[in-house]
Amino acid sequence: MTGHGLEARYLAASAIAREAGDLMRQRFEEREAGTYKLKGHQDYLTEADGEVERLITRRIAEAFPGDTVFGEEGGGQFSAQVWVIDPIDGTANFARGIPHFCVSIAFVRDGATAIGVICNPMTGEHFAARRGGGATLNGRAMKVSATAEMRQSTIELGWSMRRPMEHYVAMLGRVVATGAGFRRSGSGALGLAYVADGRIDGYAELHINSWDTLAGLLLVEEAGGWGNDFLANDGLARGNPVLACTPALREALVQATGIGR
Ligand code: IPD
């Protein structure tokens, strides 16, 4: 197969993300308010998460039976060719009726992310990248912002209970002290996709899992941005801090967040 099957996997990732997005949108529109559960403190779970993940896993197994899958809900196995998937990133938004969530699919070959696709079914936005092949949004090329001053920047700071709140508050304090504006949208994958498309200038989080991150990080890098070495120290299995941004802000953000030193 072309590029050792990369082209086939890229096309499959896009098709699977669209199908998963359609299912997710249907489940969102028919959901009854208040039907979510918490799997931990501030950690949401909906029935749709499992259903969408099973669909994605089935499609990958049908098309590429030799590959493995590692997903947020079902776990999985690692191999030289592993798909890393988040069926619904932004589960808290989904659960509470906020239409800001997505499916995130990455393909990792020999320890490097080769393909990343993120689909927001509520806006019809399909973000896609192949390593060395650029990043696109609905087929048009994406580029990170040209913002060169922290005072003009908007940075998303992701948050979860996996790290102490005081560490988040301290990072937030250091970032706003640079003059940056900040936001938190509840979807790390979409936050990274927004950096790739120049809508915001950076995304940082003190711990995030690989299924939320790898597709978005590739989007940023392929759109001309910079990202930290997320896969170092077993980031694939255990997660890591993430920082991704437009290149001119790298030094200031590394300093303010402490990520990527
Ligand atoms: C979460 C979201 C959130 C990020 C958390 C993630 P989920 O993923 O991406 O924005 O800050 O670290 O756990 O639970 O919605 O898949």
Side-chain angles (χ1 to χ4, degrees):
M1 277 187 283
T2 324
H4 304 288
L6 272 188
E7 179 67 18
R9 285 177 174 78
Y10 180 68
L11 294 173
S14 287
I16 294 168
R18 285 184 209 282
E19 188 183 1
D22 287 346
L23 175 61
M24 193 185 306
R25 181 179 180 130
Q26 192 185 328
R27 292 293 177 261
F28 182 73
E29 287 171 350
E30 67 195 20
R31 62 182 264 291
E32 270 176 56
T35 52
Y36 58 85
K37 295 186 192 124
L38 291 167
K39 56 182 174 180
H41 186 186
Q42 291 293 337
D43 194 3
Y44 285 80
L45 177 68
T46 69
E47 281 181 15
D49 288 88
E51 188 183 5
V52 177
E53 182 160 316
R54 285 191 294 278
L55 170 70
I56 298 171
T57 304
R58 194 164 67 242
R59 291 285 180 262
I60 293 170
E62 284 161 3
F64 307 105
D67 295 356
T68 59
V69 176
F70 179 56
E72 173 167 17
E73 307 308 330
Q77 288 178 316
F78 301 106
S79 68
Q81 302 206 128
V82 55
W83 295 76
V84 183
I85 61 173
D86 191 349
I88 304 180
D89 185 60
T91 304
N93 289 340
F94 182 103
R96 305 303 300 261
I98 300 168
H100 186 80
F101 49 81
C102 64
V103 52
S104 175
I105 300 181
F107 175 66
V108 179
R109 173 175 279 169
D110 297 330
T113 308
I115 293 166
V117 173
I118 290 174
C119 180
N120 177 344
M122 306 309 289
T123 58
E125 290 178 312
H126 187 87
F127 303 88
R130 258 176 299 189
R131 184 164 298 282
T136 57
L137 166 55
N138 293 347
R140 68 135 171 99
M142 286 196 293
K143 201 169 180 324
V144 294
S145 77
T147 307
E149 302 286 336
M150 286 301 290
R151 290 179 62 80
Q152 290 166 14
S153 71
T154 301
I155 309 299
E156 177 156 359
L157 298 175
W159 168 83
S160 80
M161 294 296 291
R162 294 184 299 273
R163 290 292 179 270
M165 175 58 86
E166 55 270 30
H167 294 189
Y168 180 79
V169 172
M171 176 174 75
L172 175 61
R174 292 192 302 271
V175 170
V176 296
T178 67
F182 75 96
R183 50 184 262 125
R184 174 182 176 247
S185 73
S187 165
L190 284 178
L192 290 164
Y194 282 18
V195 175
D197 198 36
R199 298 175 188 183
I200 58 174
D201 307 297
Y203 183 94
E205 183 158 351
L206 293 170
H207 177 273
I208 192 162
N209 289 300
S210 58
W211 51 75
D212 299 314
T213 317
L214 292 182
L217 262 181
L218 184 64
L219 291 172
V220 173
E221 288 167 7
E222 288 297 322
W226 174 82
N228 68 317
D229 183 6
F230 185 84
L231 288 172
N233 306 318
D234 206 15
L236 187 59
R238 293 150 48 105
N240 254 332
V242 68
L243 173 61
C245 60
T246 198
L249 302 182
R250 173 178 169 177
E251 287 311 317
L253 279 169
V254 167
Q255 188 76 20
T257 62
I259 301 168
R261 279 204 187 106

